[in-house]
Amino acid sequence: MESTNHGEGPVAASKRRYIPLNDVLPPLETLVVAIEGSVDPDGVCCLSIPNRVLGDWANNREKNTSFVALANEYIVDEAITLNPEAARLEDLLYRKSLGVVSKVRAARGVNRKNALLRSTTITILNGETISAADLQSELNEVTYMNEEADAFIEGLQEEVQDLKDALSEAQDSQNNPGGKIDAVSNRHARRKIQEVSEHANKALEFLSTYGLVAESLKVHTTSGKTFYIPFSDDAASENEDTVDLRVLYILDRYGVSDAFYHELAMLFSELPRSRAVKKARTDLNHTMQLTRIPGHEGAYRSFERSLCEQLSTMIAQDATSFQPNQKIKVRISGDGAKFSRTSSFVLLSYAILMPVGRYLSGIGNHTIAVVKGAEDYDTISTAFAATFQEIDGLQQLGFVAVNGVSYNIELFFSSDMKFMLTMLGLNAANSIYACPKCTVHRDCRWDVSKPESYYSTTMARTLVTLRRAFASHGRTAAVHQGSVNHPLTAIPVDHMMIDELHLFLRIFDVMLRNLIKMSEPHTQQLVAYIRSCGVSFNIWECESSDGKVEWTSLTGEAKKKVLKLLPSKMKDIPLPNAFLDDVVQLWKDFEVLYNLLSSETPPPNAADDLHLKAKRWIQLFLRIKSDGHQKKFVTPYFHVMVYHVPDAIRQYGNIKQFSCQGVEKHNDDSKRNYFSSNRWDAPAEIMLAEHRLELLQQYAREKRHYTKHAAAYWHEGGMQETRSQMRETLKY
């Protein structure tokens, strides 16, 4: 807390009040602030402060020191601790000290001495002291920070050891692993000569400091055979192991296996040899410093180093968009992904929120850590501990240096609800206090009668409240309010952004589930109308349960298409007439809401408009008297859409920039890299493949522009009809 500055006021520093001291007065250092009982029913106790001490505070207090802090130093035996945030007490001490100065200056002789010997009594009210529990919470926090520092030092020691091991490995790689040149075939001999040339080039780099250039190296074998090893670029380009990097880009981009390429290279001699491709891939891998995660099957790289590399590339592409005094937004995201029936991974990535960063595409999101395991607190907290420490360091520092220039950065975190609650140390999304932004109770999420600022002020979560609530864990849920673990990063809660994509997907799932229930027993007609929207969809009855049904899991694009086209067809779906109009209006209004909250350039009054429309939408949702529209089905995403998304739009312009759309595409790319890897060290292979694609992005072919003229085919179900006809043809 910043202390209130009462020291200067209108009186200049050179004309501060002065109280002459008498030799008969007791020394100032012997005076203390005594504690007395309070007659005020609202009071905790009273402080008896010598006027001499109050006068000294008024005259000699340092500029940034509060009166409450001075009082804490003088309290006898530190019996109580005053709350530094007690504004009433701070103001009262300030006024009392000035009053003492005025009285002493007005008095003369014995009266001045008596005034200095008297004491002033001040009543301390409830809330103006710090309880033992608060002190214990602060002690726990300091202990936790010390543990984090120890873990960080241990991580640095491990990194130093890894660097030593890498250096030793690099030195060992210069040794000849196979037979001597005399003992191998001519083709292998040429390859070994090329290796000698590379090692010799590195060893003779010092010649440039003398202004010398080595053209060739003459060597002899033990049998007397002579070799001239050229050092010029022209000679190196003629070597048979030269690889066109466009080939390497295509192999990584489409996940082509080494076995397939080897067979292809054997058929077409003009293609680079497969061993040359592997060597080029290994050389690119060595440009990335990767660290294994101890105790887990995982890997990570330096977040700060990767961020600086990406910023350097973007600045080179568009220097005008990056100014040293502007804040560059960086969105960190986490997500769990199931790559196969038995393999689940958790990925941590980031994106730079600049147009040149392409943050809504997979290529604009960059992996910083991957671990194989479940998406739970234990896995995330232990596997990503080093990465979180680096993130917290950048959060505290607030800038990075790129090519000698400092750029301010602002860190955000965005993910689905499950991962965000895990990051904040909160309970699951179906718990009593499941909102990541506030402490609203599950039974009150449906209540939209509160003003917009209600949950963002009196009930808002912060890192401080989360840590204090976790310290009280083990008591009732009403006390810890869902805080079952310690928050994993120092990114503020107001920078933990709601993902508009998952908000749309989860609310759409609730609406579709309710629509399917209402359409029974005419679900097949509903299936036909959904298919007419241009998506593949079906409903079937589960074999293992009585009467329960399941349906096709639609993609995000398919759900957006259904939301846009289905409401106009609902009049023909056999739904109960009592609430048919409300259901149709519910779907239409949600499309309006989603278009508003997902806009990259919302109108000036978008936040207020969204809040009012979202409140009416939830009221309409609850007005429909059917299964699935009760208050208990108002999920945290409903509440967030009404009370927290408008505030984020008002503060940051839009929430589309925090969308996880690019993260989901990035997960698909990582899944492809997983299946093209050897599976022995999948996390490292995933990150290395992504790193190679980032380095080779300049070799990507620029695709031709295609204009979709036939709207009926692309957007109104024509494509789905063509596919259905093809399936019918294949039956015969």
Side-chain angles (χ1 to χ4, degrees), residues 67 87 248 280 322 651 670:
F67 282 91
L248 190 57
F322 295 87
Q651 190 171 0
S670 299

Side-chain angles (χ1 to χ4, degrees), residues 7-278:
E8 297 299 332
V11 182
S14 60
K15 297 181 179 181
R16 286 181 175 174
R17 302 176 182 87
Y18 172 73
I19 301 177
L21 302 179
N22 197 307
D23 293 338
V24 299
L25 295 176
L28 185 64
E29 58 269 14
T30 63
L31 301 179
V32 295
V33 175
I35 301 175
E36 301 175 351
S38 173
V39 297
D40 191 333
D42 295 330
V44 177
C45 61
C46 292
L47 295 182
S48 179
I49 307 175
N51 287 351
R52 176 91 176 280
V53 173
L54 284 172
D56 181 70
W57 291 352
N59 290 306
N60 301 317
R61 181 176 64 92
E62 295 183 1
K63 184 176 181 180
N64 293 324
T65 304
S66 66
F67 282 91
V68 173
L70 292 172
N72 279 329
E73 295 179 2
Y74 274 82
I75 292 177
V76 61
D77 296 332
E78 299 181 355
I80 61 171
T81 301
L82 303 180
N83 189 351
E85 299 181 0
R88 184 200 73 88
L89 188 57
E90 175 73 17
D91 185 66
L92 183 60
L93 289 170
Y94 166 67
R95 289 187 285 105
K96 290 292 185 181
S97 63
L98 292 185
V100 167
V101 170
S102 299
K103 289 180 181 178
V104 172
R105 292 190 61 188
R108 294 289 184 272
V110 176
N111 291 334
R112 173 175 291 186
K113 172 185 173 184
N114 292 337
L116 288 171
L117 290 174
R118 292 191 188 97
S119 296
T120 299
T121 301
I122 295 177
T123 301
I124 307 300
L125 303 181
N126 289 321
E128 293 181 341
T129 61
I130 298 178
S131 65
D134 291 337
L135 292 174
Q136 183 62 42
S137 176
E138 292 183 7
L139 178 61
N140 292 342
E141 186 171 351
V142 172
T143 303
Y144 175 77
M145 293 175 64
N146 289 337
E147 292 175 352
E148 284 186 330
D150 293 340
F152 179 70
I153 293 172
E154 183 178 352
L156 288 178
Q157 292 173 343
E158 292 177 356
E159 288 186 13
V160 170
Q161 185 60 44
D162 290 340
L163 290 174
K164 290 181 179 178
D165 294 342
L167 179 60
S168 176
E169 183 180 349
Q171 292 172 345
D172 293 340
S173 66
Q174 296 183 1
N175 299 326
N176 179 21
K180 296 182 179 180
I181 290 182
D182 285 340
V184 298
S185 64
N186 291 335
R187 190 171 184 179
H188 285 178
R190 288 196 299 270
R191 191 189 312 164
K192 287 183 176 294
I193 289 297
Q194 177 62 22
E195 292 176 359
V196 172
S197 175
E198 293 175 358
H199 294 325
N201 261 319
K202 293 179 180 178
L204 296 177
E205 285 180 351
F206 71 92
L207 290 176
S208 61
T209 62
Y210 292 92
L212 301 175
V213 177
E215 294 184 355
S216 64
L217 177 66
K218 181 180 179 181
V219 294
H220 300 277
T221 64
T222 53
S223 61
K225 188 182 294 186
T226 302
F227 290 92
Y228 289 92
I229 303 175
F231 289 153
S232 65
D233 294 337
D234 294 338
S237 64
E238 295 173 0
N239 189 275
E240 65 171 358
D241 286 348
T242 301
V243 177
D244 189 337
L245 293 180
R246 291 176 298 180
V247 174
L248 190 57
Y249 172 80
I250 293 173
L251 296 179
D252 279 333
R253 177 65 180 83
Y254 297 101
V256 180
S257 68
D258 290 340
F260 174 83
Y261 181 77
H262 176 72
E263 295 298 328
L264 195 65
M266 295 300 291
L267 291 176
F268 301 96
S269 58
E270 62 271 20
L271 288 175
R273 300 298 90 186
S274 59
R275 68 171 182 277
V277 171
K278 292 179 182 178

Side-chain angles (χ1 to χ4, degrees), residues 660-672:
C660 288
Q661 173 183 327
V663 177
E664 296 298 328
K665 294 179 180 178
H666 178 261
N667 288 349
D668 294 339
D669 294 338
S670 299
K671 185 175 182 180
R672 185 192 63 246

Side-chain angles (χ1 to χ4, degrees), residues 646-685:
D647 186 58
I649 292 176
R650 190 177 293 110
Q651 190 171 0
Y652 301 111
N654 68 81
I655 64 167
K656 185 66 175 180
Q657 59 188 316
F658 306 111
S659 173
C660 288
Q661 173 183 327
V663 177
E664 296 298 328
K665 294 179 180 178
H666 178 261
N667 288 349
D668 294 339
D669 294 338
S670 299
K671 185 175 182 180
R672 185 192 63 246
N673 295 335
Y674 166 76
F675 282 108
S676 63
S677 70
N678 57 21
R679 315 281 180 86
W680 289 106
D681 192 6
E685 290 292 332

Side-chain angles (χ1 to χ4, degrees), residues 506-699:
R506 299 292 84 84
I507 295 180
F508 181 92
D509 290 342
V510 174
M511 295 167 59
L512 181 61
R513 181 193 63 207
N514 294 341
L515 187 62
I516 292 173
K517 286 183 179 180
M518 286 187 290
S519 65
E520 294 176 350
H522 308 286
T523 53
Q524 291 308 311
Q525 295 186 40
L526 175 62
V527 169
Y529 281 108
I530 292 179
R531 286 179 177 176
S532 68
C533 297
V535 301
S536 180
F537 186 76
N538 202 3
I539 300 176
W540 62 92
E541 187 172 338
C542 300
E543 296 179 359
S544 59
S545 59
D546 298 333
K548 291 187 177 180
V549 297
E550 292 183 355
W551 51 90
T552 306
S553 179
L554 299 175
T555 64
E557 288 302 318
K559 289 179 179 180
K560 292 177 184 178
K561 191 179 295 185
V562 172
L563 181 65
K564 180 179 180 180
L565 301 177
L566 187 60
S568 61
K569 307 173 188 288
M570 282 186 182
K571 294 291 185 180
D572 300 325
I573 301 175
L575 298 175
N577 293 328
F579 40 79
L580 175 60
D581 292 339
D582 286 342
V583 172
V584 174
Q585 192 62 43
L586 187 75
W587 280 69
K588 290 182 177 179
D589 289 351
F590 184 64
E591 182 189 7
V592 174
L593 283 174
Y594 179 66
N595 290 337
L596 188 59
L597 66 88
S598 64
S599 173
E600 293 188 64
T601 55
N605 61 340
D608 297 333
D609 195 20
L610 175 63
H611 175 67
L612 293 176
K613 289 182 177 179
K615 287 176 64 174
R616 297 191 191 113
W617 186 84
I618 290 184
Q619 291 168 349
L620 178 61
F621 178 87
L622 296 174
R623 195 169 69 205
I624 300 173
K625 304 301 180 184
S626 73
D627 242 0
H629 287 85
Q630 295 94 333
K631 296 175 181 178
K632 64 181 180 180
F633 291 108
V634 176
T635 68
Y637 277 115
F638 287 60
H639 167 78
V640 164
M641 179 176 65
V642 178
Y643 284 103
H644 300 299
V645 171
D647 186 58
I649 292 176
R650 190 177 293 110
Q651 190 171 0
Y652 301 111
N654 68 81
I655 64 167
K656 185 66 175 180
Q657 59 188 316
F658 306 111
S659 173
C660 288
Q661 173 183 327
V663 177
E664 296 298 328
K665 294 179 180 178
H666 178 261
N667 288 349
D668 294 339
D669 294 338
S670 299
K671 185 175 182 180
R672 185 192 63 246
N673 295 335
Y674 166 76
F675 282 108
S676 63
S677 70
N678 57 21
R679 315 281 180 86
W680 289 106
D681 192 6
E685 290 292 332
I686 290 170
M687 296 187 67
L688 288 172
E690 178 189 327
H691 176 66
R692 292 194 301 269
L693 286 173
E694 290 176 357
L695 295 178
L696 301 174
Q697 188 60 34
Q698 56 182 314
Y699 299 105

